[in-house]
Amino acid sequence: MFVYKYPYTVVTMKSAFFFHGLTDVIPDECDLATTRDATKIKNKRVKQYFVPDDFFEEGIETADYKGYDIRIYNKERMLIELVRYKSKLPFDYYKEIILNYRKILPRLDIQKIQDYALMAPKSNKVLEILQMEVL
């Protein structure tokens, strides 16, 4: 598993959506977030996302994956990532995950979502999409 080979990374995007049960689409590659100054991961089975240092640590949790602890962004943070990368995701995939987020919205921490949205790059656009499509 790549999270052991790259211990300073965090599981994100399609890998995290699948892990959190927000989609049944199994990702082709492992999506890992790193800080902007991290070394480029040279592995064809890893897609690396460079995240600003001041936003990287927000929403990291430890989860159990087949008996191993992995670092992964929580569901609230992943909602922000979904909105941030909306234009880079297939429309049907995006819609499936948004609909699944609407189903679990009562179980999410709305304050955390708002806090992450305010910290995110292009926060005004992120907040606008959240208001229109999710909240």
Side-chain angles (χ1 to χ4, degrees):
M1 179 109 183
F2 295 111
V3 291
Y4 298 106
K5 189 171 182 182
Y6 309 109
Y8 300 107
T9 63
V10 180
V11 176
T12 190
M13 295 307 292
K14 292 180 181 179
S15 299
F17 295 133
F18 179 74
F19 180 86
H20 285 306
L22 294 162
T23 181
D24 56 4
V25 176
I26 299 169
D28 296 330
E29 52 203 358
C30 185
D31 295 328
L32 298 175
T34 62
T35 55
R36 287 229 168 112
D37 60 351
T39 305
K40 173 101 173 88
I41 297 173
K42 294 179 175 109
N43 186 320
K44 291 178 182 160
R45 294 178 24 218
V46 172
K47 181 164 184 178
Q48 186 174 7
Y49 289 81
F50 293 96
V51 180
D53 291 4
D54 59 343
F55 192 48
F56 178 74
E57 295 288 331
E58 300 299 327
I60 295 175
E61 64 183 17
T62 302
D64 179 68
Y65 179 76
K66 298 182 180 179
Y68 297 97
D69 285 342
I70 62 168
R71 288 169 24 116
I72 187 168
Y73 285 124
N74 62 28
K75 289 178 184 172
E76 290 85 356
R77 170 65 188 267
M78 286 313 304
L79 177 56
I80 302 305
E81 297 304 300
L82 178 67
V83 169
R84 286 181 62 215
Y85 287 95
K86 175 182 179 178
S87 64
K88 293 183 165 75
L89 297 170
F91 179 75
D92 291 343
Y93 181 81
Y94 174 81
K95 276 304 200 196
E96 173 195 6
I97 295 172
I98 283 290
L99 291 172
N100 286 328
Y101 263 112
R102 287 181 189 156
K103 290 176 191 171
I104 64 167
L105 198 58
R107 297 192 306 270
L108 296 177
D109 185 331
I110 302 300
Q111 187 60 53
K112 275 187 186 176
I113 294 170
Q114 291 175 333
D115 291 346
Y116 297 151
L118 290 170
M119 289 181 238
K122 300 180 184 164
S123 62
N124 288 343
K125 185 71 175 160
V126 169
L127 285 165
E128 181 184 319
I129 293 170
L130 281 172
Q131 287 297 328
M132 286 178 16
E133 298 188 21
V134 186
L135 304 176

